[in-house]
Each structure stands twice: as C-alpha cells, then as structure tokens.
Amino acid sequence: MRLVLLMLVAWVTILTEGAASEKRLGVRAPRGSKWWSLANLGELSHDLRAPVKKLYNNPSLLPLTKRQRRLVTRNPGTVMAVVNGARMAIDECKHQFRNRRWNCPTKFESHRRSIFGKILQKGCRETAFVYSITSAAVAYSVARSCAEGGISTCSCDNRVHQRPAGEDWEWSGCSDNARFGHKFSRKFVDILEKGRDFRYMINLHNNEVGRVHVTNSLEKRCKCHGMSGSCTIKTCWMELPKFRGIGARLKDRFDGASQVLPGNGGMRNRKENSVRGRGRRRRRFNFSPANTMHKRPGRRDLVYFEDSPSFCDRDSSLGLGGTKGRECNQSSLGVDGCDLMCCGRGFTTEQYTVQDRCQCIFEWCCTVKCKMCTFNRTRSTCL
Amino acid sequence: MAGVVLETLGNKKLSILIISLLLVLAAFFLVGGLVSPAPNNVIATTAINCVDSEKLWPLGTSQPFLPRGKKKCSSIGDLHKDKVIIDEELGPNQIVFSQMIPLVRDNTQLSMSRWFQNLIGVVDLDIEFSSKNPYSEEKSPKMVLDARLYGRFKHETDDDWKLIAAAQEQRTLECAIENDNREEGASYNCDLLPLFELGSVYYDFYLINICLPVRERNIYNVNIGRLSELKVIFIHQNGGFTKVWFSMKTVMFPMVLAALCWFWNRVISQERSTNLTERTLFSLGIILSVMNCPVEWLTLAFNLPFMVLLNDIRDGAFYAMLLSFWIIFVGEHMLDQIERNKLSAYWKHLTVVLLACLSLLIFEMCERGRQLVNPFFSIWSSEVGSVAAFTFIIVASIAACVYFLFLCYLVFKVFRNISTKRSSLLHMSTFRRKYYSGLIFRFKFLMIVTLLCAALTVIFFILGQVSEGEWKWGDEDINIEYTSAFLTGVYGMWNVYVMALLALYAPSHKHFTTGDDDNSDTLSQEEEVQLTQVPSTSASEGSNLASFMAKTAAD
C-alpha cells in the first residue's frame, strides 16, 4: 500500500513538472510533432540514402527527443522506417483530403515547427486524423521494415512456448511483424504525450486508434501444400495491406468521429494505470460524447473536442491559407464542388493550354517513355 | 471354439484392449495438440529492390544480390518515385528482387535448421491500380520469373553463396479488383504465384534473387500493371513438429514390426497354407512398417531432397494397401458359397485402386520428381502441364468414386446375406451356427472400427479447418494446435488400427488344446470354420462342403 502511495506521489510530481514545462513553452507547436519533420530528410538532399545514413550514425542531429533518440539507437534501422512512415503519413493525408477545403497542407521550412501547421493546436477532427495517421504510418512502416529485414531488433516472440530465442525459433518459428510495429509505434509516438490535460488523453487515444486500424486491417493469406498439393495442410499468415486501405479506413473514422466533453472519466482510469507501471499498457479513456444520444467512442473511433474552423478564409493565427485560388470541380455537388469549396464566394473558369506527357509506354516499373503533347484544358478556381 | 483371436477373447479382455487402444489414440492426439507446435511456419518477407546498374544479371555470371550485410546491393525504396530511377534511367530489367532468410530477430541472425525438412517459396505481387498503366484484366498476363536460389552455411562468408538452382519459369498472374475500389493507388487482389519447393533444408541461409525481364517483341511481363512491391513468402516445417513426428515414427516402427512378427508367427504355426485375408493383412502390416521406418533421420546429416517424394510415395502405398485390404476383407466375408480366396477374384476392384494410385503417382512424379531437378518447376504453369495434371487428378477421383461404389455395394451385399442367414441361423447345426456367427461378428467389428476411424479422420479434418478459420491475430490463449493434432492423430489412428487388426484377426491358439483329441472328420470341419475361407485341400472335400452347404441352405 505504501509502495502504491509512493508511486502515486512520484507520478503527481512528474505530472506537475510536465505541466510547468508546458506553460513555459507557451503556444509553441504541440509536443510530439517534431519527428514529423523527418519526412523531409530525403527532400532536402539529392541522394536519398546518404544523409539518412549520416544522421543515423549521429542520431543527435535528428529532430527527436532524448527518449526517442535512445529508442532509435537501441533499434538500429528504425530511423529509416520512421522517415518512411512520416512520408507515407503525409502522402496519405494529402490523398485522403485532396478534395476537401482542408487539404492537409504541409510546410517543410524549418525543423522547429510542426510540418502540419498550427491546426494541431486545435483539438478538432483534422487534428485527430493527423495524429492517428502518423501513428499508424509508423507502426506500418516499422512492420514492413521488419519484413524486409531492415531492423535487427524485431521481436521473435512466440506466444505459445516460452523458450530461449534461438531454440524457440527452431521449435516453432517467429510470430508476425505487425506486433513489433505496433509496440514500437506506441513507444515512439506516445512517449511525447506527457501532460495531464484533456488534449493529452485525446491525442493518446487517437494515436492508438491509428495503430489499432493497422492491426485490424491485416489480411489473412493461405497456401495449401498437403500431399500432392492438396489442402490437407494449409498454412496461413497475416499480411499488411497497402497503406492506402488503412488511410481510407481512418478517413471513414474521420467522417464519423465523435465529439467528446472534457470530463473526469479519463482521470479515474489514468490513476489506475499509473499504479500499473505508468500506464504504458493499453490506455483506455472513458470519454463521454458531447451528444448524449451518441454512443461512447470505442477503440476504433477518432475523438475530438473542438469544432473545426470553416477553412474558408485565411486565418493567420492557425496558419491556414483558405480556399482562395483552390481548384474546384464545377460539376460536382460534393465538397470538391465549386459551391462548397469556394464557400459561396464564386469562382472563375478559364481555358488554358498545357504541355503534358502522352502516348506513354508503361512497364511494371521505372522509366516511362512518353511523347509531349499540347492539351487544351479548363479549370475553375475559387475567388 | 477356435477362429481368430477376436472371437475367443472374453468380453472383459476385449474391452480392456479397446480402451487401451483408444487411450493410445488420445495420447497421439494430445501429443500433437499440446506438445507439438503448428506443423508449419511462415517467413513473410518483402523483397529488397536491388539495382543492377552494370547489367550483370543477364550474363548469369554475377555475384548474388544481397539484401543486407556488408556486401549489400545498392537498392531503391520505391519502384516508381525513387530519384535514382530518373538519374540512372533504370529499366525493369535492372531491378533484382532479393531476399535472404531467415531474418534477423532480437538482434541475432537466426539460421535455418535441418529439422525444417522442406522449404516452399511463394511470390505475392502487389499490383497498384493505375488507369494509365492498367493490368490487363481481359486476358490474364503471362509472366516470366527469372529466379536464382542460393544457399550458404553458417561458417562461410558472403562470397561463398552456392547456386542451388536457376531457372526462367513461366507463371500466369491472376488478379481482380472490386469496381468501387478502382482508385489510383488501390491494390489488386492477386493470386499467389508458386515459386519453388525444396525437399530438404540443408543450408543455414537461403537467398533468392528474382528478375522480371521485359524484352522487346516479347509478350511476357508486359501487361502486368504497376508493380509496387514483391513479397516472397517462405513456408517450412517447424523443427518442433519434425521432432515430435520423428519420435512418433521411431516409437511406432518397432511396435508395429513386433506385432507383425507375432502375427505371422501365429499364422505359420497353424501348419496349414495361409489364406488370403491373412496374407493381405500381413502385407498391410509390411507396408505400414515401410511407412513408419524412420529413414528421415538421415536428412539431419545428408542432403536428401527426394525425402518429400519418398514420404508421399510411402503414404500413398499405405493408403492403396488399406483400400485393397477393405475390399478383400469384405469380399472374404461375403457369406455366400462362392469360392474366392485368391487375388484374381478381386481384379476389378483392385484395378480401380491401382488406377487411382498410379495416376496420382504419375502426377506426383511429374511435380515433385521434376522438382528434384528444378525446384522452380510447377506443372500448373504450362497449359499442357496443367491439362495433364487435371487429367491425372480427375482419373484418380473417378477411380476413387468407383471404388467407394464397389465397396458400398459389397458391404450392402454382406449385410443382405447376414440378414438372410440370421433367419436360418437357428435351424442350423451348432457348428455351422458358430461358423456363421463368427463370420458375422468379425465383419461387424471391422465395420464399426473402420467407420469409427474414417469418421474420426473426417472430424479431425473439419476441426482443423474450422480452427484455422477462427484463428485471429492477437489471440493470447491459443493452446491447442489443431492442425498438428490432426496430423499426429490421423497417423496414430491408422497405426493403432492396423495393430489392432494384426492382434485381433490373428488365428487363435485355443483350438490346439481343444481340437487335439477330436476325430479327423471334426478336425477338418473345424478348420473350415476357423478361417474365413480355408483353401480346400482336395476336390472331394470341396464338393463335400458344397453339398453340405446346399443341404443346410435347403433346410
């Protein structure tokens, strides 16, 4: 009992310290966002591999916190995976939101600021999506890198027999890679969410949502190889699908995200967790939905607590450009249609000529042999 | 009363025997389910896209492309967007997909073990939907995989990779995509492409290099769409399963052999010529012993890639013998007055069994046998080959159907005979009644046991399939390996089955004590009774018996 009390006290002091440091930071970019700028490592230089290798040799150059750096040093090869993950997350975010007013704008200027901009200071749906997709992308990318053999510390835990690693491998092989990706992502991404406020809980929850979607979207593949190739012996394994699928699932959750009220439901839970080793295990928060008619958000539901801005007009406090000058689809009635996209301000339509590739000969990979042709095209842009 | 052991055994002894056999069977099942791991393990890998900038691959003399280590090849991450592609103007012929197994886990380089027994490689292509570079959906595109498989021992270095096999193999790529999913970057669901099958895991490390060459004026690898990654999946038997399996074989082999010797000793000591049922049972025992013989231990020391083929042939021979045994046993218990007791009487039935097994054997030799020479070979990849393979399988399945019709017909006839005999059984003389009731009992016992075994096999199989379907990721408390339990259970069951038959259908000793002081006439009649159909020693005796039978039938 005394031990528990002692731990509680320690936990509380850590929390207050965290809060104090947060106050000192003021309105800086939210914690936990610096690593996203890893995504532009490759863009900065011409060759893809060289700088990363240099950085990998000297992880202190990376835009990571001390604990993240330690984690990355302890798991050689994960830097590449995290870089890839950050890039995948940005690509996927841009793809899923290409037709919306908020089209996932990113800035690659400085290491200091979060590349997703100040939208992360809000607690809206878009923020939830960004957190979940980045966390999912790290889990995915690490798992994929394990399958490539790029990370030497991927675990070989086999859940049935508890034996030493080498012996276990010979006896019953290794489990799949998604588990390691999930664990790594939890350690790497969640480590940054320190604090005791509501935003902290929301972010942790949304991070977990992203990872859960990776785990749940594993696809089962099977191969029959019994006598004479018959199905008396069938071996199955779980395979990572394309990240596009995971992005689409998260986009669906974005559309159905639930707004929650800052309550003390989560606090009670966290105290329990803090007793059990700082709540590193699966954290579950009890969020109460803003609309009491809705059901409580589950493990797969994104949550947010602030309404999104309209994204129509320029908002320098949030670093939003507005939809002025955005291309829109004249014939569409959806969000990409000119009425909704331009927020009723109207649009201009112009004809223009453009040189583009045509009559290309495609192969399954690599260079594409094309001719250049001139096209006449129409485009509508918001005023 | 004399006859086989089964008839002379008291009810108590019989039930003890049956219960102990059932316990042995349960033990087999539990060993498979609790001790053994899943029979196979999967190493699911994504291939590294190595770049062959100097175009060495087509020359065939190049060093292997290594996915990692000190001599790692230069590689690209994305097959379409990587900057190196534009800078060096790479073409598809310069991409070599490479992967080495096993992977590094928990900071240790694992190594393959000879306990793994066999290795299967499968390729899974990830094709993206792209409206500009579509996958040809009307006609499944033909692919050529130019693949090389290397092996290396632990103590060797990266310079010592030995080429195990190299081949250009043709495959057909079958992919599909749902209509509402047709969006740039969405992926097709593609069938797995079989790559290779190795009958032995002799080396410690294996390395696979695959090239998908595109040549001008060539129809291969053209309309396959936009490839985003290539996954190579390796499947091997688990070491733990092999250990359990070997131990079972090593234990069963001497036991069945001992039962077999005892049985044949019994038959010989009867001092008469053997009858067909005994001879069939004896050959069933021999073939089971051949199947049990644990020659697989040799694979731990030598490179024996033919072991998989040999095992399949041994299994096949056992099942063929078992099918023949059922036909002969049922035929010999027909309870009619026709003299059989020779193989030629069953030529129709046995031809069917032989035909089925022969066509499966030819198919097996074409597939597995050819794979001894070229592990990348697959009979299904060429059109002629797949037609031939289908023909063999269809012939085999037709023959199997005909066989079961035959068997059911024979069993039906026996039961009809039993019911007609039963009504007249009371009017018979004591010794004829015993003769017939003995036959009926033996037959019914075998029928029940056989049906039980067949039913158990089916139930185990279904259990295995169902548990496979319910398997889900993240389930912490899977503790029974149904597939292993199915395999060990079925193996143990047929062993127990044959052993029980050898023990229970051996001629009984008891008539030596009772029959010694009988007069010669009773003795000869006794002999007629003991065994299903004793070969007539002389024509007169045979006709004697026939007239005797006719008389009782008239009664």
Side-chain angles (χ1 to χ4, degrees):
Chain A
M1 191 63 210
R2 189 172 287 177
L3 191 76
V4 173
L5 261 174
L6 206 73
M7 283 179 80
L8 266 176
V9 169
W11 183 233
V12 167
T13 39
I14 289 166
L15 284 183
T16 40
E17 265 173 30
S21 65
E22 211 166 72
K23 257 175 214 158
R24 250 179 277 127
L25 283 171
V27 271
R28 285 274 304 275
R31 311 170 127 271
S33 55
K34 259 160 71 179
W35 66 271
W36 291 334
S37 55
L38 281 174
N40 59 15
L41 270 187
E43 322 283 325
L44 291 174
S45 115
H46 193 60
D47 192 319
L48 196 117
R49 303 251 149 190
V52 177
K53 206 162 195 179
K54 255 180 245 156
L55 283 167
Y56 159 66
N57 289 335
N58 188 1
S60 59
L61 292 175
L62 296 171
L64 300 174
T65 69
K66 202 193 277 174
R67 288 172 81 180
Q68 277 181 330
R69 245 173 254 157
R70 208 184 305 147
L71 191 65
V72 162
T73 331
R74 227 185 295 138
N75 298 291
T78 43
V79 174
M80 265 313 284
V82 170
V83 169
N84 269 330
R87 225 173 271 165
M88 266 162 46
I90 293 166
D91 284 352
E92 194 55 39
C93 180
K94 284 189 188 298
H95 176 84
Q96 295 295 340
F97 285 83
R98 67 196 182 282
N99 290 332
R100 294 181 67 99
R101 284 182 197 159
W102 182 76
N103 58 353
C104 205
T106 48
K107 284 179 193 147
F108 281 104
E109 290 139 22
S110 74
H111 281 210
R112 294 258 146 197
R113 251 189 316 186
S114 158
I115 56 168
F116 285 102
K118 291 178 188 168
I119 184 81
L120 294 175
Q121 286 168 16
K122 305 269 295 176
C124 54
R125 281 169 194 259
E126 284 76 11
T127 329
F129 183 83
V130 166
Y131 273 96
S132 66
I133 195 97
T134 46
S135 162
V138 170
Y140 181 93
S141 175
V142 168
R144 189 176 180 278
S145 195
C146 279
E148 283 182 342
I151 301 172
S152 56
T153 49
C154 299
S155 54
C156 178
D157 51 2
N158 207 303
R159 285 151 282 152
V160 186
H161 298 273
Q162 299 295 322
R163 281 161 208 269
E167 207 180 306
D168 202 13
W169 152 249
E170 195 182 290
W171 183 263
S172 59
C174 290
S175 61
D176 50 50
N177 304 307
R179 186 172 282 257
F180 180 79
H182 193 113
K183 276 188 196 160
F184 182 86
S185 169
R186 182 181 289 151
K187 282 186 200 153
F188 185 87
V189 179
D190 285 5
I191 221 168
L192 297 149
E193 297 300 329
K194 285 184 289 192
R196 59 169 182 182
D197 59 348
F198 191 54
R199 187 192 297 272
Y200 146 87
M201 292 191 284
I202 294 272
N203 288 348
L204 280 185
H205 176 89
N206 290 334
N207 284 344
E208 185 67 21
V209 169
R211 290 187 292 263
V212 165
H213 276 277
V214 175
T215 307
N216 285 346
S217 59
L218 291 176
E219 284 164 5
K220 190 166 142 188
R221 303 294 304 263
C222 292
K223 161 93 180 154
C224 290
H225 54 103
M227 205 163 123
S228 307
S230 62
C231 266
T232 45
I233 303 177
K234 201 163 91 177
T235 304
C236 298
W237 64 97
M238 301 309 266
E239 203 171 80
L240 281 171
K242 296 253 342 171
F243 195 64
R244 172 90 352 127
I246 297 167
R249 277 168 177 235
L250 284 173
K251 175 68 182 358
D252 283 347
R253 297 287 163 175
F254 169 88
D255 292 332
S258 33
Q259 187 169 23
V260 292
L261 291 172
N264 49 9
M267 298 288 273
R268 202 190 325 121
N269 231 359
R270 213 186 57 220
K271 261 183 196 165
E272 282 167 26
N273 282 331
S274 68
V275 176
R276 279 193 281 116
R278 285 195 183 181
R280 261 210 187 167
R281 290 258 134 225
R282 208 165 282 161
R283 272 159 292 211
R284 283 209 188 153
F285 303 107
N286 259 330
F287 296 115
S288 38
N291 185 340
T292 45
M293 299 294 280
H294 292 171
K295 74 174 177 58
R296 284 180 181 279
R299 274 184 76 202
R300 301 182 196 182
D301 297 312
L302 290 175
V303 294
Y304 66 100
F305 62 94
E306 270 181 296
D307 283 321
S308 301
S310 70
F311 300 108
C312 282
D313 306 311
R314 197 178 175 81
D315 185 347
S316 52
S317 72
L318 283 173
L320 297 171
T323 58
K324 192 178 177 187
R326 281 279 300 278
E327 227 173 276
C328 59
N329 185 352
Q330 220 178 321
S331 55
S332 167
L333 291 171
V335 210
D336 61 332
C338 287
D339 282 345
L340 283 171
M341 180 69 86
C342 306
C343 310
R345 293 185 307 257
F347 56 92
T348 55
T349 307
E350 56 172 338
Q351 298 262 338
Y352 68 105
T353 53
V354 71
Q355 291 259 315
D356 205 355
R357 301 188 300 180
C358 60
Q359 296 172 17
C360 296
I361 301 161
F362 288 97
E363 280 159 344
W364 56 264
C365 125
C366 313
T367 44
V368 184
K369 292 159 203 137
C370 295
K371 286 180 184 167
M372 291 306 265
C373 308
T374 316
F375 294 98
N376 279 319
R377 283 188 184 145
T378 332
R379 84 179 147 206
S380 310
T381 39
C382 291
L383 285 170
Chain B
M1 171 61 206
V4 299
V5 174
L6 176 65
E7 290 157 62
T8 55
L9 221 52
N11 273 344
K12 200 177 160 192
K13 275 186 182 169
L14 190 64
S15 50
I16 289 174
L17 191 80
I18 288 174
I19 287 171
S20 53
L21 287 178
L22 282 178
L23 283 179
V24 171
L25 186 56
F28 270 109
F29 194 77
L30 288 180
V31 163
L34 298 177
V35 180
S36 162
N40 293 288
N41 180 46
V42 179
I43 312 175
T45 68
T46 304
I48 299 283
N49 314 321
C50 287
V51 178
D52 177 21
S53 7
E54 283 144 62
K55 300 185 180 170
L56 293 170
W57 176 273
L59 307 175
T61 50
S62 65
Q63 282 287 307
F65 291 82
L66 298 175
R68 54 185 172 274
K70 280 180 188 146
K71 300 214 163 184
K72 185 185 186 302
C73 66
S74 65
S75 61
I76 53 170
D78 191 295
L79 285 173
H80 304 279
K81 292 176 203 152
D82 210 299
K83 287 200 169 69
V84 184
I85 295 173
I86 301 151
D87 293 349
E88 297 187 20
E89 288 189 2
L90 294 180
N93 292 340
Q94 283 172 279
I95 304 290
V96 178
F97 298 96
S98 162
Q99 194 49 271
M100 176 188 147
I101 54 159
L103 301 167
V104 185
R105 283 286 178 269
D106 292 327
N107 263 330
T108 42
Q109 173 63 61
L110 303 169
S111 64
M112 300 297 277
S113 157
R114 288 185 188 171
W115 287 104
F116 289 170
Q117 297 290 301
N118 54 50
L119 184 65
I120 299 172
V122 186
V123 165
D124 186 12
L125 294 177
D126 212 331
I127 305 284
E128 270 178 26
F129 182 82
S130 162
S131 51
K132 285 181 189 159
N133 183 12
Y135 161 85
S136 111
E137 281 177 58
E138 300 82 48
K139 192 170 175 285
S140 299
K142 294 259 183 287
M143 293 192 72
V144 161
L145 289 108
D146 192 354
R148 289 171 199 169
L149 184 68
Y150 300 86
R152 169 167 90 75
F153 291 113
K154 241 185 234 175
H155 55 83
E156 294 173 327
T157 62
D158 274 343
D159 297 319
D160 302 327
W161 285 101
K162 273 187 277 297
L163 187 70
I164 298 170
Q168 287 212 355
E169 285 296 326
Q170 193 184 312
R171 301 280 188 270
T172 310
L173 183 67
E174 309 268 3
C175 297
I177 192 165
E178 286 149 27
N179 269 332
D180 53 346
N181 201 11
R182 287 170 190 274
E183 190 191 337
E184 295 292 314
S187 59
Y188 281 91
N189 299 319
C190 293
D191 286 354
L192 300 166
L193 302 176
L195 185 63
F196 69 87
E197 287 189 32
L198 278 183
S200 68
V201 182
Y202 185 62
Y203 295 96
D204 291 317
F205 305 112
Y206 285 87
L207 173 72
I208 184 85
N209 280 183
I210 303 168
C211 193
L212 304 177
V214 178
R215 308 248 154 72
E216 273 174 42
R217 282 168 298 159
N218 201 335
I219 52 155
Y220 297 110
N221 297 341
V222 179
N223 291 320
I224 61 171
R226 186 183 156 100
L227 182 70
S228 60
E229 66 182 16
L230 185 142
K231 290 173 185 156
V232 190
I233 290 101
F234 299 91
I235 302 170
H236 62 80
Q237 192 164 312
N238 266 324
F241 182 78
T242 314
K243 283 173 189 169
V244 169
W245 192 253
F246 280 16
S247 344
M248 273 178 18
K249 278 195 153 184
T250 315
V251 171
M252 288 317 286
F253 178 59
M255 279 167 71
V256 172
L257 212 59
L260 191 64
C261 289
W262 176 83
F263 171 80
W264 197 239
N265 216 16
R266 259 298 166 82
V267 172
I268 300 274
S269 66
Q270 297 291 304
E271 289 167 342
R272 54 167 176 79
S273 52
T274 57
N275 70 26
L276 185 61
T277 320
E278 286 165 348
R279 286 196 299 269
T280 318
L281 200 49
F282 184 61
S283 11
L284 183 65
I286 288 179
I287 290 192
L288 181 67
S289 299
V290 169
M291 188 178 92
N292 279 342
C293 182
V295 284
E296 290 99 328
W297 286 107
L298 292 175
T299 55
L300 299 182
F302 307 103
N303 190 8
L304 304 173
F306 56 84
M307 199 49 89
V308 176
L309 178 66
L310 187 67
N311 280 342
D312 277 0
I313 291 175
R314 288 196 295 177
D315 287 2
F318 171 71
Y319 287 114
M321 192 63 226
L322 195 63
L323 297 181
S324 314
F325 168 76
W326 285 337
I327 283 284
I328 291 170
F329 187 90
V330 174
E332 293 293 290
H333 287 70
M334 197 48 92
L335 300 174
D336 52 10
Q337 278 74 54
I338 301 159
E339 175 82 6
R340 292 188 183 83
N341 200 23
K342 51 187 188 294
L343 268 182
S344 53
Y346 299 101
W347 70 271
K348 266 185 291 182
H349 316 84
L350 295 184
T351 327
V352 170
V353 175
L354 208 69
L355 186 68
C357 291
L358 209 66
S359 61
L360 279 182
L361 180 72
I362 295 173
F363 168 70
E364 186 78 10
M365 289 304 284
C366 290
E367 174 92 354
R368 288 259 156 87
R370 187 79 177 74
Q371 276 168 0
L372 292 178
V373 186
N374 173 16
F376 295 105
F377 178 81
S378 168
I379 196 165
W380 302 100
S381 62
S382 70
E383 259 164 52
V384 183
S386 57
V387 168
F390 263 121
T391 320
F392 287 132
I393 288 174
I394 287 169
V395 167
S397 25
I398 290 175
C401 291
V402 172
Y403 168 84
F404 277 103
L405 285 179
F406 264 138
L407 190 64
C408 292
Y409 175 64
L410 282 183
V411 171
F412 167 73
K413 250 169 88 176
V414 172
F415 274 109
R416 207 185 50 194
N417 286 349
I418 285 177
S419 60
T420 53
K421 276 279 157 5
R422 186 165 283 157
S423 55
S424 59
L425 211 57
L426 287 172
H427 310 292
M428 287 180 189
S429 62
T430 332
F431 123 82
R432 284 203 60 76
R433 191 156 67 227
K434 279 185 177 166
Y435 168 74
Y436 279 119
S437 55
L439 275 185
I440 291 169
F441 179 53
R442 266 182 261 168
F443 178 76
K444 282 193 168 169
F445 184 80
L446 184 98
M447 281 303 291
I448 289 169
V449 172
T450 307
L451 276 181
L452 199 75
C453 284
L456 275 179
T457 310
V458 172
I459 289 169
F460 287 168
F461 183 72
I462 290 170
L463 259 183
Q465 299 285 316
V466 167
S467 72
E468 191 96 64
E470 282 175 358
W471 188 87
K472 55 178 185 291
W473 193 84
D475 203 336
E476 303 275 346
D477 39 69
I478 299 172
N479 41 19
I480 291 186
E481 287 294 344
Y482 281 110
T483 324
S484 296
F486 164 70
L487 292 172
T488 55
V490 167
Y491 172 79
M493 194 175 65
W494 292 116
N495 265 289
V496 167
Y497 178 83
V498 173
M499 272 186 14
L501 289 188
L502 286 176
L504 294 175
Y505 286 75
S508 172
H509 263 320
K510 285 189 180 166
H511 80 279
F512 284 123
T513 51
T514 55
D516 262 355
D517 37 37
D518 281 356
N519 62 49
S520 61
D521 186 36
T522 353
L523 189 67
S524 76
Q525 283 172 343
E526 280 277 298
E527 269 189 5
E528 305 292 353
V529 178
Q530 290 154 22
L531 298 151
T532 42
Q533 216 105 99
V534 178
S536 321
T537 39
S538 69
S540 68
E541 225 176 313
S543 61
N544 208 4
L545 183 73
S547 62
F548 180 70
M549 278 175 170
K551 208 182 91 193
T552 35
D555 287 344

